[in-house]
Amino acid sequence: MHEHRATVGPAAVASAAVALVLHGLLLRPRMLTWGATSEEAARSYPGDELIPGADTGSTMATTLPAPPSKVWPWLVQMGCDRGGWYSWDRLDNGGRPSVDRVVPEWQSLAVGQRLTSVSSGRAWFTVAVLVPERTLVLRDDTRIPSGRPFDPTEERPPRAFVSSAWGFHLEPAGANSRLVVRTHGRSRPRVLTGPIDLLFWEPAHFVMQTRQFHNLRARLRRAVPGHPERP
């Protein structure tokens, strides 16, 4: 009996190559700077120095219908063990809905504090930079493939790891706020993590971050009724 094997022809390889080139030249730059002005994307932010030699990064932004003083309480209560992440809860909050109100007992936050990033509590972000009503930067250092955190201040990075910074930067915009979200990441071995970043993590971050923007806007509209929102 003859054995039939699927083969990939030159046309399929060429199509895949063209798709990757188009993604790299057209889609990826827009995805990594979604909503941000050219000035916002180019400027420096607190926390940029946390990941020296970063391999990846993005700057995304949105206008929120409230001043920074009203946005800040929603940011400081983030975390799986707190208010959630306001994104797709089934993906990043164990299926538990993120809170739809400001919770007083979650308004205390300090540098060095851990915010669990998974519902099991086995991984977390560490608060790296905190300037009330202005800047919140969360850092994550994870071994791969185990997913166990490590402390870069107490030990050398393992052979395979991902280190990242996720920064939230608020600025007044009339009666509203501009929220600029800056990410930086460094990972090893790059021959493995590079393609994963390109094909999975960057699109995943885009999907989750734009959803967080949407849900924050919706919560603020309900919390601050009648507040004028600039387009």
Side-chain angles (χ1 to χ4, degrees):
M1 183 171 61
H2 294 287
E3 182 180 359
H4 296 280
R5 296 180 179 176
T7 59
V8 178
V13 173
S15 297
V18 170
L20 286 174
V21 169
L22 290 176
H23 173 73
L25 294 178
L26 300 177
L27 298 179
R28 185 171 180 261
R30 294 186 63 187
M31 184 175 67
L32 296 181
T33 58
W34 185 266
T37 66
S38 57
E39 189 276 333
E40 288 169 334
R43 65 175 289 189
S44 299
Y45 291 93
D48 285 356
E49 73 286 353
L50 291 175
I51 311 292
D55 308 305
T56 61
S58 66
T59 305
M60 301 173 65
T62 191
T63 298
L64 296 175
S69 62
K70 298 296 185 182
V71 177
W72 183 253
W74 295 89
L75 298 182
V76 297
Q77 66 182 17
M78 292 189 299
C80 280
D81 53 342
R82 293 156 68 89
W85 300 104
Y86 314 122
S87 188
W88 295 100
D89 293 320
R90 289 186 180 275
L91 299 178
D92 70 357
N93 203 35
R96 181 172 62 91
S98 296
V99 297
D100 58 3
R101 63 187 178 90
V102 172
V103 181
E105 54 264 37
W106 290 332
Q107 293 304 301
S108 176
L109 200 62
V111 171
Q113 187 170 339
R114 293 176 176 178
L115 306 178
T116 60
S117 56
V118 294
S119 57
S120 66
R122 295 180 179 178
W124 55 80
F125 290 103
T126 301
V127 178
V129 182
L130 178 67
V131 181
E133 300 185 10
R134 184 78 181 202
T135 294
L136 172 62
V137 182
L138 307 178
R139 176 164 181 158
D140 170 61
D141 296 277
T142 303
R143 302 172 186 270
I144 53 176
S146 69
R148 292 187 295 111
F150 70 94
D151 187 344
T153 66
E154 297 183 355
E155 58 183 305
R156 296 185 62 180
R159 289 187 176 183
F161 71 94
V162 176
S163 290
S164 63
W166 188 20
F168 298 80
H169 307 279
L170 279 171
E171 293 187 352
N176 303 301
S177 296
R178 282 294 284 175
L179 174 60
V180 179
V181 175
R182 164 70 58 82
T183 67
H184 275 113
R186 179 172 180 264
S187 58
R188 293 294 184 273
R190 198 64 189 146
V191 67
L192 172 65
T193 60
I196 295 175
D197 286 340
L198 180 65
L199 298 175
F200 178 74
W201 286 118
E202 289 179 355
H205 173 68
F206 173 81
V207 169
M208 301 302 286
Q209 189 60 64
T210 53
R211 182 65 176 179
Q212 185 189 66
F213 285 162
H214 169 83
N215 285 338
L216 281 172
R217 283 195 299 269
R219 284 162 167 76
L220 286 163
R221 288 192 188 104
R222 292 193 295 267
V224 190
H227 183 85
E229 182 176 5
R230 194 177 67 191

